[in-house]
Amino acid sequence: MLRPFTDQSPRQQLQPGWDDALTFSYCELDAMWVARWTTEAGWEPGQLFEHAGATLELSPGANVLHYGQTTFEGLKARRTREDKIVLFRPIDNARRMRQSAARLLMEAPPVNDFLDAALAVVRTNIKWVPGYQKGSFYIRPLLFGSGPVLGVQPAKEYTFLVYGCPVGQYMGGDSVVVLSSAHRAAPHGTGAVKVAGNYASSLQPQKAAKAMDCVDALYLDAREDRYIEELSGANFFAILYDGTLVTPALGSILPGITRASILTVAKEIFHWNVVERLVPIEEVLTDAVEAFYSGTAAVLSPVTRINYRGVDHAIGDGNPGPRAAMLRQALNEIQLQERPDYWGWVVEL
Ligand code: COI
């Protein structure tokens, strides 16, 4: 059941204790945002509802339950040293949600409505934005077909919901495995959009990866089983022995916002040679001195070992490398307003 969030709504008593390491886990805070679209009324103005104890009422015929009409986003609010709250590239998340929605023939909120909802959720739950360098407030916007259908067809009602949780690092392990039997996306499929099905189908490969002591699966392309695509929830990069930063070109991979930011920082701040192209797995195993993965949740973590066809390959000398660390630091400083933001990426609350 949904109850509007008012001055009388109960406030969560949980006191944020930022000294305990934060995990990347679901939590229920004071308020979340919900808006609905119907064929008759279009987007109704959204509003805040109580988050703790909230449940959703859905028709058993809701498209999302049968045919998976659903997409989501992830973005972060962080606290700067000066105690300002800042979001990183939220408009890009809003735009990507619209692209994902278009691929699934869903109605998506206008960019400004997405931004207003995200800001309202941060403002209302502001005491859970972790302290400076103690973690992030992860904002999770969801959009799903809530209207009933029986045949395969688009829903006639959509629900847009935004909640947030204080989080620490997602994943963070430095070994990945290439599983010969698992592909993430096919050419012209849905790999380039952030739809839930891509993540549901990653659960089994992820479990297999963990059983092999790896943080995640690294997927190869579905056509030739040779070119690196990405991890289940993060983009992939390698730094070759000549210093070139390579990453798989867009096509069937997610156009990550952290990925795009890393490419810009590498080119425009560090003046590295940066190439988006096909990246054969053998090239990474033989020519890479560093590798890493990136995402909003995953941030930027080194890959020091790739298991390919049952054989472990160390990347470079098998230790986290300096250039991945430089990129991570630069990105962190830009996000926290400690380096110039030439691109207007940071939005203050
Ligand atoms: C993110 O990085 O924000 C994502 O949505 C990835 C998800 C697997 C946690």
Side-chain angles (χ1 to χ4, degrees), residues 167-313:
V167 298
Q169 173 84 40
Y170 178 64
M171 301 206 292
D174 57 10
S175 299
V176 296
V177 62
V178 177
L179 297 162
S180 56
S181 57
H183 290 125
R184 177 184 170 275
H188 313 295
T190 56
V193 287
K194 204 163 174 68
V195 299
N198 292 345
Y199 297 83
S201 65
S202 77
L203 294 173
Q204 189 267 339
Q206 216 176 37
K207 185 175 173 193
K210 289 195 171 122
M212 295 173 73
D213 209 18
C214 291
V215 67
D216 200 358
L218 176 63
Y219 299 91
L220 300 184
D221 75 291
R223 207 194 303 260
E224 295 193 45
D225 200 35
R226 176 174 182 216
Y227 300 105
I228 293 179
E229 298 244 305
E230 62 184 301
L231 284 74
S232 303
N235 292 117
F236 181 85
F237 290 82
I239 296 171
L240 305 180
Y241 64 88
D242 67 356
T244 304
L245 177 69
V246 290
T247 195
L250 297 180
S252 50
I253 63 166
L254 189 81
I257 293 164
T258 311
R259 173 189 179 278
S261 310
I262 287 170
L263 292 174
T264 302
V265 168
K267 266 186 272 192
E268 297 183 20
I269 304 284
F270 296 134
H271 307 292
W272 294 349
N273 186 27
V274 171
V275 186
E276 296 172 74
R277 60 161 164 82
L278 290 174
V279 181
I281 177 72
E282 316 89 66
E283 181 187 24
V284 170
L285 300 182
T286 55
D287 293 355
V289 291
E290 287 187 45
F292 59 89
Y293 57 88
S294 74
T296 298
V299 191
L300 190 163
S301 279
V303 171
T304 60
R305 184 173 69 99
I306 298 180
N307 184 297
Y308 180 53
R309 297 188 175 154
V311 179
D312 261 353
H313 298 260

Side-chain angles (χ1 to χ4, degrees), residues 24 72-75 138 140 170 194 199 232-233 295-298:
F24 192 85
F72 70 98
E73 278 297 324
L75 62 159
Y138 187 76
R140 175 46 64 87
Y170 178 64
K194 204 163 174 68
Y199 297 83
S232 303
T296 298

